[in-house]
Amino acid sequence: MTLSSPRQLSLPVYLPDDETFNSYYPASGNDELIQKLQSCAEGNITSSIYLYGPQKSGRTHLMHAACAHASDLDRRTLYIPLGIHASISPALFEGVESLNLICIDDIDAIAGHPVWEEALFHLYNRIAEQQDCRLIVSASASPSEACFALPDLISRMQWGLIYQLQAMADDEKLLALQRRAAMRGLQLSDEVGRFLLTRMARDLRTLFDVLDKLDKASMVHQRKLTIPFIKEMLKL
């Protein structure tokens, strides 16, 4: 988990400085979700937020962005990645409702674990009694489809706002790649961008990692991003 600032965790996890709302490339249909996440991080809405979508859809980026936004406003934040629940204890939920924003990532990783589910249920209840504590959680499926065993916990999750994260279309991914490239002083043509989209994994994190690798290679070899150069560097 990470507590307030600096953005360093007591666990071997760090919040990346580049995962903010400004660096997020929203797909069509996600504008309302982004606005609600920002308002929640600012403490301007009282409802909890449950957002869900597949792996590598940008859920974690948004959780990091909410924490960063709240921290920039001097609000005390907590980020907990429950994908590593086997290495931590439900006791970490105790007393955290005194903070301003709690972001729990991959909440469905503890679905079917009675001790964790009960601890989470009680955390929801304690947060509901606070004046200035907000909760954002992420999962791969909706509350009713995420295999939680405790009915009362599912009910608590459904109290708040629920959003499904919409996937990006290929044209939106291309634009995001070109914007990322431009930030690095690179020119990424439509042809080259579409080549990457057809030959690489299609999630933005993988595509951005590939672009970072190509950026370094282009500087070393003093070459532009062309399809032959990309094939050579990525051994395609």
Side-chain angles (χ1 to χ4, degrees):
M1 65 180 179
T2 182
L3 178 60
S4 196
S5 57
R7 296 175 192 164
Q8 181 174 346
L9 313 182
S10 57
L11 301 171
V13 180
Y14 292 83
L15 291 184
D17 291 333
D18 63 343
E19 294 196 355
T20 65
F21 287 123
N22 286 336
S23 65
Y24 183 73
Y25 303 94
S28 299
N30 288 331
D31 292 343
E32 181 180 338
L33 166 61
I34 304 302
Q35 186 271 324
K36 292 297 185 183
L37 290 172
Q38 291 175 326
S39 294
C40 189
E42 294 163 1
N44 292 330
I45 61 174
T46 57
S47 297
S48 62
I49 296 179
Y50 184 112
L51 69 97
Y52 69 98
Q55 290 291 328
K56 299 184 179 180
S57 61
R59 289 188 286 115
T60 296
H61 185 134
L62 289 175
M63 302 294 277
H64 292 165
C67 283
H69 188 56
S71 294
D72 288 343
L73 297 173
D74 294 325
R75 293 176 61 78
R76 295 180 300 156
T77 67
L78 176 72
Y79 171 79
I80 306 173
L82 283 186
I84 60 169
H85 69 276
S87 303
I88 54 181
S89 165
L92 66 86
F93 288 153
E94 296 175 4
V96 298
E97 65 275 6
S98 63
L99 303 174
N100 302 121
L101 176 67
I102 303 168
C103 290
I104 305 178
D105 210 357
D106 297 320
I107 199 169
D108 50 334
I110 57 91
H113 296 267
V115 175
W116 274 103
E117 288 198 21
E118 184 175 352
L120 190 55
F121 167 71
H122 291 305
L123 176 61
Y124 263 90
N125 289 339
R126 295 196 304 274
I127 290 174
E129 296 172 353
Q130 301 301 310
Q131 294 294 320
D132 196 26
C133 182
R134 304 293 183 265
L135 176 65
I136 301 172
V137 304
S138 87
S140 60
S142 68
S144 61
E145 298 174 330
C147 300
F148 290 103
L150 186 60
D152 285 344
L153 174 59
I154 297 173
S155 175
R156 296 298 182 272
M157 292 174 174
Q158 293 173 333
W159 275 359
L161 302 174
I162 300 176
Y163 287 94
Q164 182 176 11
L165 194 58
Q166 301 300 313
M168 296 182 79
D170 282 353
D171 286 347
E172 292 172 322
K173 291 179 182 179
L174 175 60
L175 180 60
L177 271 175
Q178 289 174 325
R179 288 173 59 185
R180 183 88 166 194
M183 290 172 60
R184 285 159 170 70
L186 297 171
Q187 183 177 1
L188 188 70
S189 68
D190 288 357
E191 180 186 18
V192 172
R194 293 191 188 282
F195 175 80
L196 289 174
L197 284 171
T198 58
R199 300 300 292 269
M200 298 286 105
R202 303 177 76 82
D203 64 280
L204 273 190
R205 172 50 59 193
T206 297
L207 290 168
F208 284 171
D209 288 344
V210 169
L211 185 62
D212 290 345
K213 179 179 179 180
L214 292 173
D215 178 24
K216 294 175 183 177
S218 70
M219 288 190 292
V220 170
H221 297 280
Q222 294 295 298
R223 292 176 62 182
K224 295 181 179 180
L225 292 186
T226 62
I227 290 177
F229 177 65
I230 290 173
K231 286 182 175 179
E232 179 184 347
M233 291 299 99
L234 300 181
K235 297 179 170 41
L236 298 176

